[in-house]
Amino acid sequence: MGISKVTSKNQFLEFPLIVAWIFYGVKKRFYNKFCYLLFLYYNYAMRLTLKAKMTIVILVIALILSGTSIIMSNIIFSRFVDYNYRDKAENLAKTVALMVDSHAASKLRHEVMEIYDSIPDKVTSEDWGSDAFNEYVANYSSINKGRAYRTLYNTLHFALIANKVDSVYLYSVDPVLKNAIYLLDASEEPCPIGCIDQLDLNEVNLRVIDNPEIGFPPFITNTKEYGWLVTAGVPLYDNEGFVSCYAMVDISMAEIKRAQRNFTLLVSVILTLITFVICILSILIVNYSVTKPISKISNAAVQYCNESTDCQRNGFSLLDIHTGDEIEDLAESMKHMEHDLNEHIRTILDTMHELTVTRAKADEMSVLAHKDALTGLRNKAAYDNEILRLKNELANGMCRFGIAMIDLNFLKSINDSFGHDKGDYAIKALCKIICDIYDHSPVFRIGGDEFAVILENSDFDHAAELEDIFKKHIEDLQKNMELSSWERVSAAIGVAIYDKSIDSSVENVFKRADTLMYSNKKAMKAERIG
């Protein structure tokens, strides 16, 4: 029995040695067989005719060149597209940041983060759809009823629709837990208020914790849920100069990536056909005198790969081969291939440039369409949009606004007596007075000498006081006889605050303000005559 144990133990120790010996033997045999096959191929190649050798050489060169061209064109196109989309996302995020009311954003962040800090067990978007997640986001259900939320939502939704992007939303960052909290999402399928994204899931986002001012530099992701996306975020600052939250933009790259794949496929087909033509031509090469031209083509291929990453190549177009046979045809084929590639890439780049220019012009026209040329204020079209916004808010139960109507007196008299340039001076002077006094509300020039102010924020709270300040300022100007006639600006004002007991619409508030303004105008004219 003891001998049996010793025998079994020895067999157990010998087994790994046997396996290692077998593996070494197989490996050695494989290596020897590979070397033997390589030796046979070398001897066979040495006995090939020049025609076969040249065919193999040209085939190899064509395949390398074709593959390199496909890879390089794909890389260049991809980098160009990525750069443009990153730039577009960053510029759009900056535009959204300029559009957003920072005071409203700070207020919304305070409301959301107050609830966020009070919840001990936070549930991230990794548990989206679960009962725990739904119970967590339910804590924020009252936020979207506030004025700050609706104001910001309208702004972000307008940016989303106008720019045809996937998502426009506001982020707040918790640097301690490395979380990003959704304050507002204006996309078609929004993330709920309070939804948490973990910043450590993307190393690019972690930089915002130590340097909140840099925001979220544009970065591209490709996920199963959302596909190709480019994301960018720009910081928004509160009244104390600290970063309160971030204006974020997501733009889908699915269509352009699909176009990139189609472009790569097209280039591959073209180059495959050209390679096939080259292979056919190589069969006709039988004369030793073609060695030098072949060497030139090979050198051109090497230089082609070593050139800069510029989209346009001219390595083959510089070849000067006039052999009068198939070699010259090969050189010309390579030139045509290079030309076709350059033309194709140039067409794509021109198209991308035209799209960029068109978008820039459209943005510029949109700005100009809502801007008064003389004063730089928002014009009648912008005023109409603002009235439409007030109507929507009124329909939703939000009714905290007022309208101030202001009319410049004696504009015709100034134009007739001193010239239209002095009349323009008076209009711009009145514009400055209005903007200085009502510096927390949007000001519009709705006619030649008519201005309107939508009273908001602190201007709404101090409407009567600001009206008195305006009248006192106009009165002081009238008394200042050191000024020229056109510098002593005279203007009438009427202010009406929305009262649901007497106002059934925004137009009622406008009419009351207009009536009060004309009453003030009559009183001023009567006082002047008296």
Side-chain angles (χ1 to χ4, degrees):
M1 189 172 182
I3 296 175
S4 177
K5 286 185 177 181
V6 174
T7 304
S8 300
K9 185 176 180 180
N10 291 337
Q11 290 175 348
F12 179 79
L13 293 174
E14 291 175 358
F15 180 77
L17 296 176
I18 295 173
V19 172
W21 180 82
I22 294 174
F23 180 79
Y24 174 78
V26 172
K27 182 178 179 182
K28 185 175 181 181
R29 290 181 61 187
F30 177 82
Y31 177 79
N32 293 336
K33 184 175 291 186
F34 175 79
C35 293
Y36 178 72
L37 291 176
L38 187 62
F39 176 77
L40 290 179
Y41 175 77
Y42 178 79
N43 288 336
Y44 175 77
M46 291 298 100
R47 294 194 296 270
L48 290 176
T49 62
L50 181 59
K51 177 180 177 180
K53 291 179 181 178
M54 296 304 299
T55 300
I56 294 175
V57 170
I58 293 179
L59 178 61
V60 171
I61 293 175
L63 290 175
I64 292 175
L65 181 58
S66 300
T68 303
S69 300
I70 293 172
I71 294 172
M72 291 300 297
S73 61
N74 187 54
I75 291 175
I76 293 171
F77 184 86
S78 179
R79 289 183 178 178
F80 180 83
V81 169
D82 291 353
Y83 172 82
N84 277 274
Y85 267 74
R86 286 192 183 100
D87 186 66
K88 177 182 176 182
E90 184 175 25
N91 289 335
L92 183 54
K94 291 178 180 178
T95 302
V96 173
L98 293 175
M99 293 171 61
V100 167
D101 185 344
S102 59
H103 176 73
S106 299
K107 182 178 179 181
L108 178 62
R109 179 190 179 279
H110 175 74
E111 294 174 358
V112 173
M113 295 306 293
E114 187 175 18
I115 297 175
Y116 170 85
D117 292 334
S118 66
I119 301 175
D121 298 322
K122 299 173 176 60
V123 183
T124 68
S125 58
E126 292 293 308
D127 297 317
W128 184 289
S130 66
D131 293 338
F133 178 84
N134 294 333
E135 182 179 354
Y136 165 74
V137 297
N139 292 289
Y140 303 88
S141 58
S142 62
I143 298 296
N144 57 10
K145 299 178 182 178
R147 175 181 175 84
Y149 179 90
R150 298 304 306 170
T151 300
L152 293 170
Y153 179 85
N154 291 334
T155 301
L156 266 63
H157 188 68
F158 173 79
L160 177 79
I161 299 302
N163 295 278
K164 298 179 180 179
V165 296
D166 283 61
S167 298
V168 179
Y169 50 98
L170 296 181
Y171 245 172
S172 179
V173 172
D174 180 359
V176 177
L177 299 180
K178 299 180 180 179
N179 289 335
I181 304 93
Y182 280 86
L183 305 181
L184 189 155
D185 188 354
S187 59
E188 293 184 1
E189 297 181 2
C191 289
I193 303 173
C195 180
I196 299 173
D197 283 346
Q198 294 176 289
L199 294 177
D200 56 2
L201 296 180
N202 190 328
E203 294 182 0
V204 177
N205 294 340
L206 290 177
R207 292 181 292 178
V208 77
I209 296 176
D210 297 325
N211 299 289
E213 293 82 7
I214 68 173
F216 293 81
F219 61 93
I220 296 174
T221 56
N222 182 21
T223 61
K224 182 179 180 181
E225 294 81 6
Y226 304 107
W228 287 95
L229 280 179
V230 57
T231 302
V234 174
L236 296 174
Y237 296 88
D238 58 19
N239 294 333
E240 298 179 1
F242 295 101
V243 175
S244 62
C245 58
Y246 299 89
M248 306 293 297
V249 172
D250 288 343
I251 302 177
S252 174
M253 298 178 66
E255 290 297 326
I256 196 64
K257 288 297 182 181
R258 189 178 299 112
Q260 180 181 345
R261 290 193 296 269
N262 293 337
F263 165 74
T264 302
L265 179 61
L266 178 61
V267 171
S268 300
V269 171
I270 293 175
L271 293 179
T272 300
L273 293 175
I274 294 176
T275 302
F276 179 77
V277 172
I278 293 174
C279 292
I280 297 300
L281 292 176
S282 65
I283 298 175
L284 304 176
I285 302 173
V286 293
N287 196 302
Y288 182 77
S289 60
V290 301
T291 302
K292 185 175 180 180
I294 288 294
S295 177
K296 290 183 179 180
I297 294 177
S298 179
N299 292 334
V302 173
Q303 292 299 322
Y304 189 95
C305 297
N306 291 333
E307 287 178 359
S308 64
T309 57
D310 187 19
C311 294
Q312 303 298 319
R313 302 301 183 93
N314 58 1
F316 288 101
S317 62
L318 299 177
L319 288 177
D320 186 22
I321 298 176
H322 301 284
T323 59
D325 55 17
E326 295 81 4
I327 297 299
E328 185 173 351
D329 294 339
L330 173 62
E332 291 301 318
S333 296
M334 301 301 287
K335 291 179 182 180
H336 288 310
M337 179 193 72
E338 182 180 71
H339 178 267
D340 291 342
L341 283 174
N342 288 340
E343 287 298 321
H344 198 72
I345 295 175
R346 188 183 297 111
T347 300
I348 294 176
L349 295 180
D350 290 344
T351 301
M352 295 297 297
H353 176 70
E354 290 175 3
L355 289 174
T356 302
V357 172
T358 301
R359 175 55 62 91
K361 289 182 178 179
D363 293 342
E364 182 179 356
M365 291 176 65
S366 176
V367 172
L368 294 177
H370 293 82
K371 185 177 182 180
D372 179 60
L374 177 62
T375 63
L377 295 177
R378 283 174 271 192
N379 60 13
K380 183 63 167 58
Y383 175 76
D384 292 338
N385 289 338
E386 191 70 12
I387 293 300
L388 181 60
R389 179 183 69 82
L390 291 176
K391 289 181 179 179
N392 293 333
E393 291 186 356
L394 197 60
N396 293 328
M398 301 178 186
C399 51
R400 176 183 161 84
F401 74 94
I403 297 178
M405 295 298 299
I406 301 171
D407 189 84
L408 177 64
N409 296 327
F410 316 117
L411 176 61
K412 185 176 185 303
S413 176
I414 295 174
N415 287 334
D416 294 341
S417 302
F418 305 104
H420 286 275
D421 58 331
K422 299 302 186 292
D424 291 344
Y425 175 88
I427 292 173
K428 290 188 283 188
L430 178 58
C431 167
K432 185 177 186 306
I433 294 171
I434 298 172
C435 292
D436 287 343
I437 294 175
Y438 295 98
D439 61 342
H440 296 97
S441 300
V443 182
F444 307 85
R445 185 187 179 196
I446 60 175
D449 53 3
E450 290 183 324
F451 297 83
V453 182
I454 306 298
L455 300 179
E456 296 179 346
N457 306 315
S458 61
D459 293 348
F460 175 87
D461 298 328
H462 303 87
E465 180 182 345
L466 293 176
E467 182 181 5
D468 293 339
I469 292 174
F470 179 86
K471 290 180 178 179
K472 181 64 170 59
H473 189 90
I474 295 298
E475 183 180 350
D476 292 342
L477 284 176
Q478 295 297 302
K479 294 178 181 180
N480 190 350
M481 303 309 297
E482 295 181 358
L483 300 176
S484 301
S485 297
W486 61 85
E487 293 177 320
R488 289 185 279 115
V489 176
S490 175
I493 185 172
V495 178
I497 302 300
Y498 172 76
D499 185 347
K500 64 180 179 180
S501 63
I502 60 175
D503 295 315
S504 60
S505 66
V506 179
E507 286 77 6
N508 288 125
V509 183
F510 173 85
K511 290 178 181 178
R512 289 201 294 111
D514 198 50
T515 301
L516 292 172
M517 182 269 291
Y518 275 107
S519 297
N520 181 233
K521 180 183 284 287
K522 289 180 181 179
M524 294 177 71
K525 289 184 177 180
E527 181 179 350
R528 183 175 183 181
I529 294 173

